[in-house]
Amino acid sequence: MAQATVDSGPDLKIVVIDDDPTGSQTVHGCPLLLRWDAETLAAGLAHPSPLLFLLANTRALAPAAAAERVRKICRALRPALEKAVACGRIAGWLVVSRGDSTLRGHFPLEVDVINEELGPFDATLLVPAFLEGGRITVDGVHRLHGQPVHESPFAQDGLFAYTTSHLPDWVEEKSGGRIPATAVDRIGWRELDVGGVPLLRHLARLEGNGCVAVDGASAPQLATLAAAVRTLVASGDATLDARPRRFLFQSAASLIQALAGLPPQPLAAAALAALRRRRGERPLPGLVLVGSHVPLADRQLEHLLAEPGCVGVELEVAKVQRLLEGPEPVRLLASLELAWGQRLADVLAGGHTPVLFTSRGEARCRHGQERRVLGLALAGVMARLAAAVAPDLGYLISKGGITTHTLLADGLALEQVELQGQLLPGLSLVLAAPDTDQEPLPVLTFPGNLGDDGTLRQAWRWMETQAGPP
């Protein structure tokens, strides 16, 4: 197999526009921005990490709103990148639209907007493999633990459903036929295993921003792709008479690590768990939020609530839905929040970990926009409740992308967080500093589709004992 050792030179900045805040699942030591004003972007681009994440949270939005948010980000990003290059802070940049490894999200809408604002690009490489979560692509078919992903519950998502796991066909379906399957180029696993000049030649001849579906079943395959991309982005290849190329990426988390080539994270899992805040010698209590409602999250919640140290506090979705449909929803919702907040305080006072969760099952909504409004309202309630007790917490575990983004951006009102690394594969811990008078609060960002039935309980145990894995 070809060795993926070629680097483009110093200071290539990989900018990741992340459609929910859990996409930094394979990396560490980089900032995750929740704002994109000029000052915040400049600070992010000046950070020594080769990575910069912009948490767009577009999966929570309707298509038009998602497109507008990505457009605003790109229009703020372009002058910031130009300035960073001009002053020598960075030598160049790549942009990645990080999407869900179970193929949910606004594709190709977001990459279309990025191409309009930051392009033109020679090709968009579609690389949904997330090896750490058991999501691989072989012969163009995307699989979850060996099962074609369209056969999983994720493909029945109320907002982002699809009917095929074959990526060219999926592109045709998601584009409404605008991009036919026959127009989707492919880079297969055999080509990645060989690497070298044939792969460089394939990438070098791409033009016109066609879509390329890329296999990925191992870290060496993705590293080979990343090395070839970086070679061509930096200076082209004289032997192929190839000019420097411009590539756009729609990918899951594994390719981001391959592109960045980061060393192992400096903090082991036990050291991450030990970041739990203390008051004097006493460790402060934790709080778990579960907003995700996929079947895996339901099972994980059930296992966690079986722990004697955990007490559930249910946020009744039907009540919230009725209030949103009636008069004075803000006032009545505030009254409900007071009751839920008191319940959280009682559980904490009793020496247990409160687990704040939305009622299980997917609420019946008349249309997609109603579903989005309800989801954002529920996330807002959870964020406000968590923020109210945050000064007295040692750690937070937040499960679900919309839940986590709303917690960080709105509940804790943060401009950015610092990613420390993964407690478990794909399970990232960030440090949030909502109050400069306190130590940063460790927040475990837990995707809805990650792990097995016991992973949430395992993560809670490690944070609670501050021990990490044996």
Side-chain angles (χ1 to χ4, degrees):
M1 180 179 296
Q3 295 298 308
T5 58
V6 179
D7 189 79
S8 67
D11 303 326
L12 180 70
K13 185 69 75 169
I14 301 161
V15 180
V16 183
I17 300 175
D18 201 343
D19 76 344
D20 98 355
T22 61
S24 50
Q25 298 159 283
T26 60
V27 297
H28 56 83
C30 61
L32 315 183
L33 305 189
L34 295 110
R35 306 283 188 272
W36 32 87
D37 57 275
E39 184 179 356
T40 303
L41 283 173
L45 290 169
H47 192 282
S49 172
L51 287 163
L52 175 62
F53 280 77
L54 307 179
L55 303 187
N57 199 36
T58 47
R59 211 183 307 167
L61 304 178
E68 181 60 22
R69 179 166 295 177
V70 173
R71 197 174 303 280
K72 285 181 177 179
I73 290 173
C74 291
R75 290 183 176 178
L77 187 57
R78 179 181 279 280
L81 288 168
E82 291 173 348
K83 185 176 181 179
V85 171
C87 71
R89 185 171 294 140
I90 61 175
W93 51 272
L94 293 175
V95 63
V96 177
S97 173
R98 203 292 303 190
D100 179 46
S101 59
T102 58
L103 301 183
R104 297 169 299 165
H106 295 292
F107 178 88
L109 175 67
E110 295 189 43
V111 290
D112 286 345
V113 173
I114 296 170
N115 182 60
E116 291 170 9
E117 297 295 334
L118 298 178
F121 295 95
D122 292 304
T124 295
L125 304 185
L126 172 62
V127 195
F130 176 38
L131 309 179
E132 295 78 1
R135 296 94 198 260
I136 66 172
T137 309
V138 178
D139 294 328
V141 176
H142 195 53
R143 297 179 178 273
L144 171 61
H145 300 301
Q147 176 190 33
V149 71
H150 78 279
E151 297 176 2
S152 74
F154 303 110
Q156 279 74 56
D157 185 279
L159 296 172
F160 300 111
Y162 53 91
T163 62
T164 177
S165 301
H166 184 248
L167 291 183
D169 293 334
W170 179 82
V171 170
E172 179 172 321
E173 179 178 356
K174 298 303 289 185
S175 68
R178 177 172 63 85
I179 308 173
T182 53
V184 178
D185 198 354
R186 284 196 46 222
I187 295 176
W189 60 270
R190 294 177 181 85
E191 189 172 358
L192 293 171
D193 281 348
V194 172
V197 172
L199 179 59
L200 286 168
R201 184 177 290 117
H202 188 162
L203 291 168
R205 69 171 180 260
L206 298 173
E207 59 184 4
N209 196 33
C211 183
V212 184
V214 184
D215 280 2
S218 71
Q221 289 174 0
L222 295 182
T224 297
L225 174 69
V229 162
R230 290 172 68 98
T231 296
L232 292 172
V233 165
S235 57
D237 190 291
T239 63
L240 302 175
D241 193 27
R243 60 172 172 80
R245 312 300 287 180
R246 301 198 70 213
F247 298 116
L248 173 60
F249 302 89
Q250 173 74 34
S251 84
S254 291
L255 180 66
I256 297 169
Q257 162 61 15
L259 288 169
L262 297 176
Q265 69 182 39
L267 295 180
L272 292 175
L275 293 172
R276 178 181 177 180
R277 292 197 302 197
R278 308 175 73 86
R279 185 164 290 156
E281 295 299 314
R282 178 174 63 88
L284 291 173
L287 169 64
V288 181
L289 308 179
V290 182
S292 174
H293 55 75
V294 297
L296 175 59
D298 296 347
R299 299 193 299 271
Q300 290 177 341
L301 174 63
E302 182 181 357
H303 278 68
L304 180 63
L305 292 178
E307 285 283 342
C310 293
V311 175
V313 178
E314 182 178 358
L315 197 162
E316 295 99 331
V317 172
K319 284 186 178 180
V320 175
Q321 192 170 19
R322 285 197 297 271
L323 290 183
L324 292 176
E325 294 171 349
E328 299 187 82
V330 174
R331 182 178 66 83
L332 295 175
L333 194 55
S335 176
L336 267 183
E337 285 184 37
L338 285 175
W340 285 320
Q342 185 58 56
R343 178 65 174 143
L344 285 181
D346 291 343
V347 174
L348 288 167
H352 295 89
T353 301
V355 180
L356 181 64
F357 66 96
T358 52
S359 304
R360 298 294 87 189
E362 199 163 356
R364 293 185 177 180
C365 297
R366 289 166 293 185
H367 44 72
Q369 183 58 21
E370 182 180 333
R371 185 182 303 279
R372 290 185 177 94
V373 169
L374 176 60
L376 289 171
L378 293 167
V381 171
M382 299 182 88
R384 291 189 292 272
L385 291 171
V389 297
D392 298 314
L393 294 178
Y395 66 90
L396 246 166
I397 299 175
S398 180
K399 184 165 181 65
I402 296 173
T403 301
T404 301
H405 188 276
T406 308
L407 167 70
L408 297 174
D410 300 330
L412 300 179
L414 298 168
E415 293 184 354
Q416 71 174 63
V417 292
E418 191 80 12
L419 175 64
Q420 301 301 299
Q422 285 72 50
L423 185 74
L424 285 163
L427 179 56
S428 295
L429 187 143
V430 302
L431 287 180
D435 185 342
T436 55
D437 293 332
Q438 281 190 308
E439 290 292 318
L441 176 65
V443 179
L444 213 55
T445 63
F446 204 126
N449 59 11
L450 182 76
D452 58 27
D453 292 0
T455 304
L456 179 59
R457 178 172 62 181
Q458 184 181 25
W460 170 79
R461 284 177 173 172
W462 287 358
M463 293 302 298
E464 192 64 21
T465 61
Q466 305 166 76

